[in-house]
Amino acid sequence: MRATAIAHTNVALIKYWGKRDEHLILPANSSLSFTVDKFYTKTTVEWDKNSAQDTFILNGEQKTDAKVARFIDKMREEFGITSKAIITSENHVPTAAGLASSASAFAALALAGSSAAGRDDTKEYISRLARFGSGSASRSVFGDFVIWEKGQQPDGNDSFAIPFTNKLCDKMSLVVAVVSDKEKKVSSRDGMRLTVETSPFFEKWVSAAETDLEEMKKAILNEDFIKVGEITERNGMKMHATTLGAEPPFTYFQPQSLEIMDAVRELRENGIPAYFTMDAGPNVKVICERENENIVAEKLSGLAKNVLICHAGKEASVISDEK
Ligand code: 2P0
């Protein structure tokens, strides 16, 4: 039994930053993301009774990855199977983009793994499962705007993503300004943990994120791009503020990131509505109206290594399934 699935990566406009349960990967706050069309992972899973061990091939090279190994065990436990997995994965997230690929990777792996096991799981189930690989992967199961509900239950059964809306999606672009494609110094998992454990700003961040999320939902549904941009920018900055309060303090900002933020402010002063956000790395993602995407890309191209224009991406899907 073998199946292939594709999932796109996503960029959070209301960030996930901090877990309330490390083991179950339960977030402290709900988050909202925009799935992007340009970057995706394509993964084939085969459950093989005759293999003596799991195999993971990424971009043509055999790899050993602790997170993937744990996730395969989780799938076996969930599906009630003992077969070993043969996984072949292609990451269409250009290394030069310096973007995280764990979101698309675990969403594609969960979907292909379930389908290869002959199951017909709901997307809600796949999202909950993908969460165990990487929290943000729960959101990559869906397209357009997506909300990962933090849930209330201690067992995490109500913590999964749901599709929110496709409103505004055909009018909005996300321009990625690549500052560095190097491995980040502090992984998001470690950065979050340190923030939760030591930053006095963490508690405030969680309550502010919940308020931002409610306002963001309204702004998207009203197709109010300016409001969406303002909330995106302030939410991202609040997340990054928590890292400066951690002990020891750390930041994902690099000098070039700050220069790009200034350029975005300058665009606004010149009448082009554009707003930035950053994740657990130095690259800057800028949202703008589609009619302005080339002006924004042009402005940032002198400051970044590479500039990529993205639009809304589709939900994860199974592209082949052999029983
Ligand atoms: C996000 N990030 O909402 C936030 C903003 C990074 C900054 O989700 O520990 O790789 O595997 O659940 O999903 C990156 O975190 O972390 C992330 P784990 P993940 O997009």
Side-chain angles (χ1 to χ4, degrees):
M1 293 197 288
R2 178 191 161 97
T4 302
I6 279 184
H8 290 80
T9 190
N10 71 79
V11 173
L13 306 188
I14 301 293
K15 307 295 187 189
Y16 148 52
W17 192 247
K19 296 175 181 66
R20 66 177 198 273
D21 187 314
E22 286 267 337
H23 180 64
L24 297 172
I25 313 213
L26 296 176
N29 63 281
S30 300
S31 54
L32 181 146
S33 60
F34 181 70
T35 301
V36 296
D37 59 349
K38 275 241 163 84
F39 314 117
Y40 65 94
T41 303
K42 181 175 158 189
T43 296
T44 303
V45 176
E46 182 175 354
W47 294 108
D48 184 12
K49 286 197 197 90
N50 302 318
S51 287
Q53 62 196 29
D54 296 320
T55 311
F56 173 46
I57 296 163
L58 177 62
N59 297 337
E61 266 181 56
Q62 193 153 333
K63 300 261 178 198
T64 315
D65 184 304
K67 277 193 192 176
V68 171
R70 269 200 301 276
F71 193 71
I72 299 170
D73 285 340
K74 175 70 184 166
M75 285 197 286
R76 269 193 287 262
E77 180 193 317
E78 284 282 317
F79 305 160
I81 57 174
T82 52
S83 301
K84 299 297 179 189
I86 303 171
I87 298 168
T88 316
S89 203
E90 281 169 29
N91 241 345
H92 295 262
V93 183
T95 34
L99 291 174
S101 55
S102 67
S104 55
F106 283 104
L109 183 53
L111 185 55
S114 147
S115 185
R119 296 165 62 91
D120 191 19
D121 290 315
T122 60
K123 281 276 165 71
E124 173 189 309
Y125 177 93
I126 298 295
S127 171
R128 195 191 292 116
L129 177 60
R131 191 193 83 219
F132 285 89
S134 210
S136 53
S138 65
R139 299 187 308 236
S140 272
V141 172
F142 299 104
D144 301 323
F145 285 110
V146 179
I147 293 175
W148 173 15
E149 300 279 8
K150 67 175 180 169
Q152 308 286 341
Q153 295 172 15
D155 63 5
N157 272 342
D158 57 351
S159 184
F160 49 82
I162 49 166
F164 178 52
T165 182
N166 63 359
K167 275 200 166 185
L168 204 66
C169 282
D170 57 348
K171 298 189 190 85
M172 198 177 106
S173 302
L174 184 133
V175 180
V176 181
V178 180
V179 167
S180 166
D181 52 9
K182 291 209 184 77
E183 189 102 343
K184 45 195 161 201
K185 286 198 193 100
V186 185
S187 74
S188 37
R189 195 159 284 190
D190 293 346
M192 274 186 218
R193 189 182 299 124
L194 190 64
T195 303
V196 173
E197 287 172 0
T198 66
S199 178
F201 307 146
F202 181 68
E203 227 169 281
K204 286 276 185 208
W205 149 254
V206 174
S207 55
E210 296 291 359
T211 310
D212 286 346
L213 176 61
E214 289 316 306
E215 282 187 39
M216 179 64 101
K217 287 196 229 172
K218 284 188 205 130
I220 293 172
L221 293 175
N222 290 335
E223 301 200 55
D224 183 346
F225 175 75
I226 305 279
K227 199 93 205 154
V228 168
E230 286 173 355
I231 302 167
T232 297
E233 198 169 291
R234 74 177 192 224
N235 183 267
M237 292 300 255
K238 276 182 254 189
M239 176 201 118
H240 286 277
T242 65
T243 72
L244 297 176
E247 287 175 33
F250 66 103
T251 183
Y252 294 106
F253 294 170
Q254 281 186 9
Q256 259 179 296
S257 322
L258 298 171
E259 280 177 32
I260 293 167
M261 291 182 201
D262 264 344
V264 172
R265 292 186 189 104
E266 221 174 273
L267 278 165
R268 288 207 291 268
E269 279 159 22
N270 293 319
I272 305 288
Y275 299 87
F276 57 78
T277 188
M278 279 178 63
D279 295 302
N283 301 325
V284 185
K285 289 123 190 184
V286 180
I287 58 168
C288 64
E289 286 160 308
R290 213 172 272 199
E291 67 208 42
N292 294 324
E293 64 183 24
N294 290 320
I295 299 173
V296 173
E298 176 75 13
K299 173 86 178 172
L300 305 183
S301 62
L303 297 167
K305 264 194 177 168
N306 196 2
V307 172
L308 300 137
I309 298 174
C310 304
H311 298 144
K314 292 195 178 67
E315 65 176 349
S317 60
V318 175
I319 57 166
S320 81
D321 193 359
E322 299 158 27
K323 291 274 150 56

